[in-house]
PDB file of all heavy atoms in Angstrom:
ATOM      1  N   LEU A   3     -16.121  22.212  13.120  1.00 97.00           N
ATOM      2  CA  LEU A   3     -16.155  20.777  13.273  1.00 97.00           C
ATOM      3  C   LEU A   3     -15.204  20.121  12.269  1.00 97.00           C
ATOM      4  O   LEU A   3     -15.337  20.335  11.054  1.00 97.00           O
ATOM      5  CB  LEU A   3     -17.586  20.275  13.035  1.00 97.00           C
ATOM      6  CG  LEU A   3     -17.816  18.767  13.139  1.00 97.00           C
ATOM      7  CD1 LEU A   3     -17.607  18.290  14.585  1.00 97.00           C
ATOM      8  CD2 LEU A   3     -19.225  18.428  12.679  1.00 97.00           C
ATOM      9  N   PRO A   4     -14.218  19.328  12.752  1.00 97.00           N
ATOM     10  CA  PRO A   4     -13.326  18.649  11.804  1.00 97.00           C
ATOM     11  C   PRO A   4     -14.110  17.752  10.855  1.00 97.00           C
ATOM     12  O   PRO A   4     -15.043  17.050  11.247  1.00 97.00           O
ATOM     13  CB  PRO A   4     -12.418  17.823  12.723  1.00 97.00           C
ATOM     14  CG  PRO A   4     -12.480  18.513  14.051  1.00 97.00           C
ATOM     15  CD  PRO A   4     -13.885  19.068  14.159  1.00 97.00           C
ATOM     16  N   TYR A   5     -13.746  17.792   9.576  1.00 96.00           N
ATOM     17  CA  TYR A   5     -14.360  16.990   8.533  1.00 96.00           C
ATOM     18  C   TYR A   5     -15.887  17.181   8.460  1.00 96.00           C
ATOM     19  O   TYR A   5     -16.640  16.277   8.177  1.00 96.00           O
ATOM     20  CB  TYR A   5     -14.006  15.482   8.720  1.00 96.00           C
ATOM     21  CG  TYR A   5     -12.543  15.250   8.503  1.00 96.00           C
ATOM     22  CD1 TYR A   5     -11.658  15.296   9.559  1.00 96.00           C
ATOM     23  CD2 TYR A   5     -12.059  14.984   7.237  1.00 96.00           C
ATOM     24  CE1 TYR A   5     -10.304  15.114   9.358  1.00 96.00           C
ATOM     25  CE2 TYR A   5     -10.714  14.753   7.022  1.00 96.00           C
ATOM     26  CZ  TYR A   5      -9.834  14.856   8.083  1.00 96.00           C
ATOM     27  OH  TYR A   5      -8.490  14.656   7.860  1.00 96.00           O
ATOM     28  N   ARG A   6     -16.288  18.430   8.702  1.00 96.00           N
ATOM     29  CA  ARG A   6     -17.717  18.757   8.773  1.00 96.00           C
ATOM     30  C   ARG A   6     -18.458  18.471   7.444  1.00 96.00           C
ATOM     31  O   ARG A   6     -19.641  18.155   7.449  1.00 96.00           O
ATOM     32  CB  ARG A   6     -17.948  20.171   9.231  1.00 96.00           C
ATOM     33  CG  ARG A   6     -17.448  21.232   8.297  1.00 96.00           C
ATOM     34  CD  ARG A   6     -17.506  22.633   8.949  1.00 96.00           C
ATOM     35  NE  ARG A   6     -16.861  23.620   8.098  1.00 96.00           N
ATOM     36  CZ  ARG A   6     -15.554  23.850   8.065  1.00 96.00           C
ATOM     37  NH1 ARG A   6     -14.739  23.139   8.817  1.00 96.00           N
ATOM     38  NH2 ARG A   6     -15.059  24.774   7.257  1.00 96.00           N
ATOM     39  N   LYS A   7     -17.760  18.590   6.337  1.00 95.00           N
ATOM     40  CA  LYS A   7     -18.402  18.346   5.041  1.00 95.00           C
ATOM     41  C   LYS A   7     -18.731  16.873   4.847  1.00 95.00           C
ATOM     42  O   LYS A   7     -19.491  16.518   3.942  1.00 95.00           O
ATOM     43  CB  LYS A   7     -17.538  18.849   3.892  1.00 95.00           C
ATOM     44  CG  LYS A   7     -17.399  20.372   3.886  1.00 95.00           C
ATOM     45  CD  LYS A   7     -18.730  21.041   3.578  1.00 95.00           C
ATOM     46  CE  LYS A   7     -18.548  22.550   3.515  1.00 95.00           C
ATOM     47  NZ  LYS A   7     -19.771  23.227   3.242  1.00 95.00           N
ATOM     48  N   LYS A   8     -18.174  15.996   5.684  1.00 97.00           N
ATOM     49  CA  LYS A   8     -18.476  14.568   5.625  1.00 97.00           C
ATOM     50  C   LYS A   8     -19.409  14.143   6.773  1.00 97.00           C
ATOM     51  O   LYS A   8     -19.650  12.947   6.969  1.00 97.00           O
ATOM     52  CB  LYS A   8     -17.175  13.773   5.677  1.00 97.00           C
ATOM     53  CG  LYS A   8     -16.307  13.956   4.491  1.00 97.00           C
ATOM     54  CD  LYS A   8     -15.079  13.076   4.531  1.00 97.00           C
ATOM     55  CE  LYS A   8     -14.277  13.239   3.268  1.00 97.00           C
ATOM     56  NZ  LYS A   8     -13.281  12.216   3.100  1.00 97.00           N
ATOM     57  N   ALA A   9     -19.936  15.117   7.530  1.00 98.00           N
ATOM     58  CA  ALA A   9     -20.782  14.774   8.676  1.00 98.00           C
ATOM     59  C   ALA A   9     -21.981  13.949   8.235  1.00 98.00           C
ATOM     60  O   ALA A   9     -22.514  14.143   7.143  1.00 98.00           O
ATOM     61  CB  ALA A   9     -21.235  16.060   9.363  1.00 98.00           C
ATOM     62  N   LEU A  10     -22.396  13.060   9.099  1.00 98.00           N
ATOM     63  CA  LEU A  10     -23.462  12.120   8.811  1.00 98.00           C
ATOM     64  C   LEU A  10     -24.578  12.278   9.844  1.00 98.00           C
ATOM     65  O   LEU A  10     -24.335  12.308  11.047  1.00 98.00           O
ATOM     66  CB  LEU A  10     -22.939  10.682   8.828  1.00 98.00           C
ATOM     67  CG  LEU A  10     -23.909   9.567   8.652  1.00 98.00           C
ATOM     68  CD1 LEU A  10     -24.533   9.598   7.257  1.00 98.00           C
ATOM     69  CD2 LEU A  10     -23.247   8.250   8.906  1.00 98.00           C
ATOM     70  N   VAL A  11     -25.788  12.324   9.349  1.00 98.00           N
ATOM     71  CA  VAL A  11     -27.011  12.288  10.208  1.00 98.00           C
ATOM     72  C   VAL A  11     -27.775  11.039   9.808  1.00 98.00           C
ATOM     73  O   VAL A  11     -28.515  11.035   8.815  1.00 98.00           O
ATOM     74  CB  VAL A  11     -27.897  13.544  10.022  1.00 98.00           C
ATOM     75  CG1 VAL A  11     -29.109  13.451  10.933  1.00 98.00           C
ATOM     76  CG2 VAL A  11     -27.107  14.802  10.309  1.00 98.00           C
ATOM     77  N   PRO A  12     -27.602   9.927  10.576  1.00 97.00           N
ATOM     78  CA  PRO A  12     -28.313   8.705  10.215  1.00 97.00           C
ATOM     79  C   PRO A  12     -29.822   8.872  10.359  1.00 97.00           C
ATOM     80  O   PRO A  12     -30.296   9.380  11.384  1.00 97.00           O
ATOM     81  CB  PRO A  12     -27.790   7.671  11.216  1.00 97.00           C
ATOM     82  CG  PRO A  12     -26.516   8.257  11.731  1.00 97.00           C
ATOM     83  CD  PRO A  12     -26.691   9.750  11.668  1.00 97.00           C
TER      84      PRO A  12
END
Side-chain angles (χ1 to χ4, degrees):
L3 178 66
Y5 293 90
R6 66 189 173 277
K7 293 293 182 180
K8 294 185 177 193
L10 175 66
V11 180

